């Protein structure tokens, strides 16, 4: 499953760190949610999410044109704790995001 060094390497890259923090807070987000929150293109977001998926930090589910991501259910509790502690002590690291589940227009507009 997940290796400690690989986890910390993933956290050392700002886009991957912020994506993991957002997922830890929102549960599930669409690629378009992350694009909007991070002000990055779909290819760049998808490349970082593919790296996180490769190491079993996140899982994705395709729904139509978009993929929705969440933390991997088997992510060790201590890793989840690192993410939650990071958010707790650094709330300014989280950009505002309105998940598609609450605002259905995000992905619908981009299809």
């Amino acid at each position: 499953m997940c290796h400690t060094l690989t986890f910390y390497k993933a956290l050392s890259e700002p886009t991957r760190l912020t994506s993991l923090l957002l997922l830890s807070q929102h549960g599930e987000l669409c690629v378009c949610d992350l694009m909007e929150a991070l002000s990055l293109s779909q290819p760049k977001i998808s490349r970082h999410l593919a790296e996180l998926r490769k190491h079993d930090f996140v899982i994705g589910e395709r729904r139509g044109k978009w993929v929705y991501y969440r933390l991997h259910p088997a992510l060790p509790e201590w890793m989840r704790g690192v993410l939650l502690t990071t958010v707790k002590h650094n709330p300014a690291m989280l950009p505002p995001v309105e998940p598609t589940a609450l605002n259905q227009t995000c992905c619908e507009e981009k299809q």
Side-chain angles (χ1 to χ4, degrees):
M1 172 64 200
C2 302
H3 298 290
T4 303
L5 183 58
T6 305
F7 178 67
Y8 283 108
K9 282 182 180 180
L11 297 183
S12 72
E13 202 293 317
T15 300
R16 291 193 290 266
L17 170 61
T18 307
S19 296
L20 286 169
L21 294 177
L22 286 167
L23 290 171
S24 75
Q25 292 302 291
H26 294 281
E28 180 179 78
L29 292 170
C30 177
V31 171
C32 69
D33 296 324
L34 293 168
M35 288 169 51
E36 189 173 311
L38 300 172
S39 298
L40 295 172
S41 67
Q42 181 272 326
K44 186 164 186 170
I45 294 288
S46 293
R47 187 183 75 226
H48 286 290
L49 290 169
E51 185 69 18
L52 294 173
R53 195 174 56 245
K54 178 174 88 174
H55 296 293
D56 292 329
F57 298 134
V58 299
I59 59 171
E61 177 187 336
R62 178 167 295 282
R63 296 183 200 156
K65 180 180 176 182
W66 296 97
V67 179
Y68 290 75
Y69 285 90
R70 59 188 168 100
L71 295 179
H72 197 291
L75 191 69
E77 201 56 43
W78 73 266
M79 290 182 184
R80 290 175 186 273
V82 167
L83 297 173
L84 294 175
T85 300
T86 301
V87 169
K88 179 180 177 183
H89 295 285
N90 304 280
M93 290 184 72
L94 284 181
V97 63
E98 188 172 334
T100 309
L102 302 175
N103 175 15
Q104 291 298 319
T105 61
C106 176
C107 294
E108 291 169 0
E109 289 176 2
K110 293 178 173 101
Q111 287 185 1

